Amino acid sequence: MKGWGWFGLITGILITLVAIERGVSVYQGLWPHIFFLVGTSLFFDAIHYLVCGESLLHRIWKHKHLFLVPFMAGLSIELLLDVAGVFLFITWIYPMFNREGGLFLYVIFAPLGLLFLYESYTAVTALVRKGFHSSSKLNFEVSQNRRILNLMGFFSVLLFLFSMTLMVWSDLNRWYIHYFVGFGVWSLLEYIGLKRGQETLVTHILRKDFIPLLVIFFLSFTLAYGWEVMNVSMGGSWIYTNLPEGAIILSGGVPLIALLQWPFLYIMFLSFYRSIFLSREEPCFW
């Protein structure tokens, strides 16, 4: 494994353990999260490089200007999600914004989410495909997927209208509504990707390539769950609110309904990055 992988693994684990053991304030608690994201991203990037001979950070190291693409993509999608979660649905809050310098830390923290999700997904997917000798290439042609394109566009509009109706005319808990919106956003991003002639997650699923989806669920209920437990143990740099009555709380203090959003986060971050910021010529990571 490359040196930056071992450095990332050791840094991420040590700083996380020290923060959990000694306890940190909510404001200071963002720094362990930042180190955790950087450490795990370096580790997974090194694995991806070991398996494939190339990786995102390796490309950025060779071409420094490429740094702006994942940075802007990560910051953009994180801002959109937090506007929805914090202000529209009020399903989570960030206590750090009540502290001086909280916004500055958020600008550092937010783009790292995409790096964390992208690196963990691509590394594990590369390992699985190598182990099963599976290829991600589908000989994709937009003309063969016109029905999928139209269906994704229709579903996105339908789900957005349905969600707006529920918010105005229904007392349904906002957590459930925000899942409908999540499906709508995914459908819209699929539509945009297909319109641009890209391979998408749906095209892989329909052609019986379930590896991307299985990897996403695996990481959501292992790696992401561990990060949620870490957040709870440090006092909560983000806190989930307005949970449904009788919400199931898992070991470590993580609400089940909050953990179930992680597959959506993986899909939305990766689809947003692929469909909005990357051209068709870029290697497909699904």
Side-chain angles (χ1 to χ4, degrees), residues 37 78 113 116-117 179 216-217 219-221 223-228 238 240 254-269:
L37 292 175
E78 185 68 43
F116 167 77
L117 296 172
Y179 275 113
I216 286 172
F217 274 96
L219 290 170
S220 297
F221 298 123
L223 184 63
Y225 175 57
W227 187 20
E228 289 282 6
W238 61 87
Y240 295 112
V254 181
L256 175 61
I257 196 168
L259 183 64
L260 290 175
Q261 74 178 332
W262 274 98
F264 286 97
L265 293 177
Y266 263 98
I267 291 170
M268 283 193 285
F269 268 79

Side-chain angles (χ1 to χ4, degrees), residues 27 31 97 101-109:
Y27 174 62
W31 285 111
F97 282 121
L103 182 60
F104 169 74
L105 285 180
Y106 178 83
V107 173
I108 299 176
F109 169 78

Side-chain angles (χ1 to χ4, degrees), residues 7 14 17 19 56 59 66-67 70 73 118 125 131 145 149 194 243 248 261:
F7 173 79
L14 286 180
L17 290 177
L56 177 61
R59 292 196 301 272
L66 295 179
F67 165 78
Y118 176 89
T125 302
N145 294 275
L149 175 66
L194 288 165
L243 296 172
I248 299 173
Q261 74 178 332

Side-chain angles (χ1 to χ4, degrees), residues 113-279:
L114 173 63
L115 186 65
F116 167 77
L117 296 172
Y118 176 89
E119 293 289 8
S120 59
Y121 168 80
T122 53
V124 175
T125 302
L127 282 173
V128 173
R129 290 199 184 282
K130 184 175 182 179
F132 287 93
H133 305 287
S134 170
S135 173
S136 63
K137 296 181 179 180
L138 297 177
N139 297 319
F140 176 81
E141 291 293 339
V142 178
S143 59
Q144 299 175 359
N145 294 275
R146 188 61 58 184
R147 288 184 178 179
I148 305 174
L149 175 66
N150 295 331
L151 192 61
M152 290 297 101
F154 171 76
F155 269 130
S156 65
V157 174
L158 181 65
L159 287 167
F160 284 134
L161 291 175
F162 182 62
S163 301
M164 290 174 61
T165 303
L166 288 176
M167 288 188 65
V168 175
W169 300 103
S170 169
D171 294 328
L172 187 67
N173 186 278
R174 294 292 178 90
W175 272 96
Y176 301 121
I177 299 175
H178 111 287
Y179 275 113
F180 285 119
V181 174
F183 273 113
V185 172
W186 178 23
S187 299
L188 177 61
L189 292 172
E190 288 286 325
Y191 175 82
I192 294 172
L194 288 165
K195 193 74 174 177
R196 298 182 65 199
Q198 298 174 332
E199 295 177 21
T200 69
L201 179 58
V202 166
T203 58
H204 279 262
I205 293 173
L206 291 178
R207 299 182 187 187
K208 299 181 180 180
D209 177 18
F210 298 109
I211 289 177
L213 193 61
L214 292 174
V215 169
I216 286 172
F217 274 96
F218 170 74
L219 290 170
S220 297
F221 298 123
T222 53
L223 184 63
Y225 175 57
W227 187 20
E228 289 282 6
V229 172
M230 184 184 94
N231 176 60
V232 172
S233 69
M234 294 191 299
S237 295
W238 61 87
I239 298 174
Y240 295 112
T241 58
N242 295 321
L243 296 172
E245 185 177 353
I248 299 173
I249 306 300
L250 302 174
S251 176
V254 181
L256 175 61
I257 196 168
L259 183 64
L260 290 175
Q261 74 178 332
W262 274 98
F264 286 97
L265 293 177
Y266 263 98
I267 291 170
M268 283 193 285
F269 268 79
L270 296 175
S271 296
F272 185 83
Y273 181 46
R274 174 67 176 159
S275 299
I276 305 297
F277 282 84
L278 297 183
S279 66

